[in-house]
Amino acid sequence: MIKAIKGTKDLLPSDVPRWHYLEDIVKKIFTNFNYKEIRTPIFELTSLFARSIGEETDIVGKEMYTFEDMSGASITLKPEMTAGVVRAFIEHSLGAQQQLTKLYYISPMFRQEKPQAGRLRQFHQFGGEAIGSASPILDAEMIQIAFDILKSLGLKDLTVKINSLGTTETRENFKNLLREFLNDKKDKLSEDSKKRFDNNILRIFDSKIEIDQKLLADAPALIDQLDDESKNDFDLVKEYLTKINIPFEIDPHLVRGLDYYSKTTFEIISGKVGAQDALLGGGRYDLLAEQLGGKPTPAVGFAAGIERILLACENENSFKVDELSIDIYLIRIDKELELKVSELASELRRKGLRVEYDYLQRSVKAQMREANKFNARFALFIGGGEYEEGKMNLKDMKTSEQKLIPIDNISEVIDNIKI
Ligand code: HAM
């Protein structure tokens, strides 16, 4: 038997209502903040991701699904959305229509990571990107959107972590300072951190390995070395967050796994999902548009992992979705009325009702059982003596009340159902 690929997951009909519930909240909240939805292709040229996320990152270095297409071009299944959104923003001159472009998305992503709880190879993100303003108010607003969505899903065990990575210059100076600090400790670092020391030294802060964490305990913090502009912006972000009642912690080690960030970065962590605890992450990326060939355009955004969030919701038992019931089940009493029943069903469906009936020539008893299984609000009995007298029997399944309705009088059925 052929099975689904490791790290991918089927969403069965019993899973989907929870996804719809989450997606409705995401759309509602983004729309309240006047964001418009964008959908970009599942695959892009590999160079787009290499240039934006960064050659030395884990994502580009070892996690991308990359292949050559028939023309010999190197193609990659998108591991994240920001690069594609900024590409589309530049390609379609979206910034020419208004100065600030606010976009949101819900889409599958692909990363060849080692699968574990909350970590998949095909996973789904929702997220937002606000392109065209450097205002720190927008940073705080992004965090608010993210936080409000998680709260609307009923989640409680959340920690908002924020940091600032400063400007490129601040970061370069800090990297030198960190290199000096770690120089005589380098040999004691874990193998991964040794590599990062040479390639992407800031990412050393991401290490969960105890020995690295011990060595880093007294390391200088970027947040203490910020340039005036980044510091002022960060102070404003903190002030706005406080004003809009979003509790947060400053995490000087929050460096994020993608290279395009500058200034504000943030993550929201759940205490209920195990090791992969970041429900979402984001930050400012003021230089990305220019790096991808556009005009200099400051921007900020975040993306959230839907599977991880739903895992947190399940573990916190944070919301319940009722299975969609049907409005009416048509019960065929006489075998020969099969066509009549399906004709009535199709008319009722065209009027917008959720309708079901039996396709398997089952007994009246079995049809009743199924009507109950589907939680039908009404049952309509077609056949028997009533049918000979030109009537159908409509039964309210909650009150057991019954009403005779002339055959073919669809509008009377509908009027009674609405009551
Ligand atoms: P990221 O931190 O790489 O950021 O991913 C965001 C979220 O996607 C994570 O916090 C996590 O919930 C989820 N996620 C990532 N990888 C996996 C995986 N293998 N399995 C399940 N969930 C996963 C970005 O993607 C940036 N584009 C965020 C951003 C948008 N920054 C600015 N704008």
Side-chain angles (χ1 to χ4, degrees):
M1 195 208 132
I2 299 173
K3 292 200 168 163
I5 291 171
K6 207 170 136 196
T8 68
K9 241 174 107 176
D10 295 311
L11 291 180
L12 300 176
S14 55
D15 301 317
V16 171
R18 293 172 65 73
W19 283 69
H20 283 167
Y21 184 84
L22 176 143
E23 286 161 10
D24 287 348
I25 287 178
V26 168
K27 287 178 190 164
K28 172 88 178 61
I29 292 184
F30 271 116
T31 308
N32 288 351
F33 282 81
N34 197 26
Y35 281 65
K36 305 273 157 59
E37 188 179 349
I38 185 164
R39 302 184 187 195
T40 65
I42 292 288
F43 51 81
E44 300 266 3
L45 288 176
T46 304
S47 51
L48 173 70
F49 301 116
R51 262 165 70 185
S52 49
I53 301 169
E55 298 274 7
E56 300 299 341
T57 58
D58 287 350
I59 298 179
V60 173
K62 48 187 182 193
E63 294 170 1
M64 296 204 302
Y65 280 97
T66 298
F67 58 95
E68 238 180 52
D69 74 2
M70 281 197 248
S71 73
S74 179
I75 304 290
T76 292
L77 302 186
K78 61 184 172 189
E80 61 105 53
M81 269 297 272
T82 313
V85 169
V86 175
R87 184 215 25 84
F89 170 86
I90 299 168
E91 192 168 333
H92 304 286
S93 308
L94 296 185
Q97 295 158 28
Q98 68 278 309
Q99 234 180 340
L100 176 61
T101 307
K102 301 202 281 188
L103 304 166
Y104 80 92
Y105 46 83
I106 304 176
S107 175
M109 306 290 155
F110 307 86
R111 295 185 195 176
Q112 233 166 127
E113 295 190 81
K114 201 161 174 251
Q116 64 181 84
R119 198 204 261 160
L120 291 140
R121 291 185 166 174
Q122 175 175 340
F123 60 101
H124 297 76
Q125 284 185 343
F126 66 80
E129 315 289 350
I131 310 173
S133 164
S135 167
I137 297 184
L138 209 50
D139 304 14
E141 203 176 277
M142 263 304 162
I143 299 172
Q144 188 194 353
I145 295 175
F147 187 73
D148 285 2
I149 290 174
L150 299 182
K151 279 282 167 193
S152 297
L153 288 165
L155 289 173
K156 295 201 171 72
D157 192 346
L158 300 172
T159 310
V160 179
K161 294 187 170 181
I162 62 170
N163 190 22
S164 174
L165 298 183
T167 57
T168 312
E169 198 188 345
T170 311
R171 230 168 16 256
E172 287 314 313
N173 291 340
F174 177 74
K175 284 182 189 167
N176 289 334
L177 198 70
L178 188 61
R179 219 167 270 128
E180 265 170 45
F181 170 82
L182 285 173
N183 217 4
D184 55 350
K185 306 174 185 64
K186 187 181 166 190
D187 294 340
K188 295 190 199 125
L189 287 169
S190 69
E191 282 312 304
D192 252 6
S193 291
K194 266 186 207 141
K195 271 187 223 144
R196 285 176 173 169
F197 183 94
D198 295 323
N199 300 331
N200 201 350
I201 191 161
L202 273 188
R203 292 273 285 146
I204 283 190
F205 285 118
D206 260 357
S207 170
K208 300 234 160 81
I209 299 170
E210 210 183 322
I211 173 88
D212 293 336
Q213 288 189 347
K214 268 198 188 136
L215 288 169
L216 286 167
D218 303 322
L222 178 49
I223 195 104
D224 300 326
Q225 315 286 329
L226 289 182
D227 52 284
D228 286 348
E229 188 188 297
S230 301
K231 189 175 172 320
N232 281 340
D233 283 2
F234 195 54
D235 286 343
L236 279 171
V237 172
K238 289 186 282 185
E239 196 184 328
Y240 294 135
L241 286 178
T242 311
K243 284 223 162 81
I244 53 179
N245 293 320
I246 295 181
F248 60 87
E249 281 176 16
I250 295 163
D251 179 357
H253 287 181
L254 182 62
V255 289
R256 309 274 304 127
L258 306 94
D259 280 354
Y260 48 60
Y261 292 110
S262 52
K263 294 191 176 168
T264 313
T265 54
F266 58 92
E267 282 185 358
I268 302 185
I269 307 296
S270 161
K272 293 282 192 290
V273 290
Q276 301 304 313
D277 58 359
L279 298 187
L280 57 87
R284 210 157 245 297
Y285 51 94
D286 290 345
L287 304 176
L288 183 57
E290 203 177 349
Q291 263 170 35
L292 293 178
K295 292 195 204 113
T297 318
V300 59
F302 79 91
I306 297 182
E307 285 83 354
R308 257 182 226 182
I309 291 174
L310 288 177
L311 188 64
C313 291
E314 212 175 300
N315 293 346
E316 285 201 37
N317 208 356
S318 73
F319 71 86
K320 218 178 138 259
V321 204
D322 293 329
E323 209 184 309
L324 201 60
S325 57
I326 58 168
D327 294 318
I328 184 162
Y329 193 99
L330 307 191
I331 293 179
R332 183 202 62 254
I333 298 174
D334 303 318
K335 217 172 159 207
E336 57 276 16
L337 288 174
E338 207 175 4
L339 265 184
K340 182 76 211 165
V341 169
S342 66
E343 183 197 329
L344 276 170
S346 75
E347 280 184 61
L348 287 166
R349 284 168 175 161
R350 282 190 177 136
K351 297 281 182 206
L353 294 182
R354 290 194 294 272
V355 180
E356 187 56 291
Y357 65 97
D358 170 56
Y359 302 83
L360 301 168
Q361 282 104 36
R362 282 175 289 191
S363 67
V364 172
K365 211 168 146 195
Q367 293 177 60
M368 276 303 282
R369 222 178 294 128
E370 189 162 63
N372 281 321
K373 186 179 137 208
F374 289 134
N375 213 1
R377 219 8 225 104
F378 289 87
L380 186 64
F381 293 85
I382 301 135
E386 286 151 358
Y387 191 80
E388 277 161 26
E389 286 163 23
K391 300 271 164 57
M392 320 181 277
N393 191 353
L394 181 69
K395 181 178 174 187
D396 184 320
M397 300 289 273
K398 263 191 206 148
T399 61
S400 293
E401 232 173 89
Q402 304 195 17
K403 190 163 186 181
L404 290 176
I405 290 175
I407 293 169
D408 294 334
N409 196 341
I410 295 290
S411 25
E412 202 177 326
V413 174
I414 292 168
D415 287 348
N416 276 284
I417 285 184
K418 278 187 189 142
I419 294 164

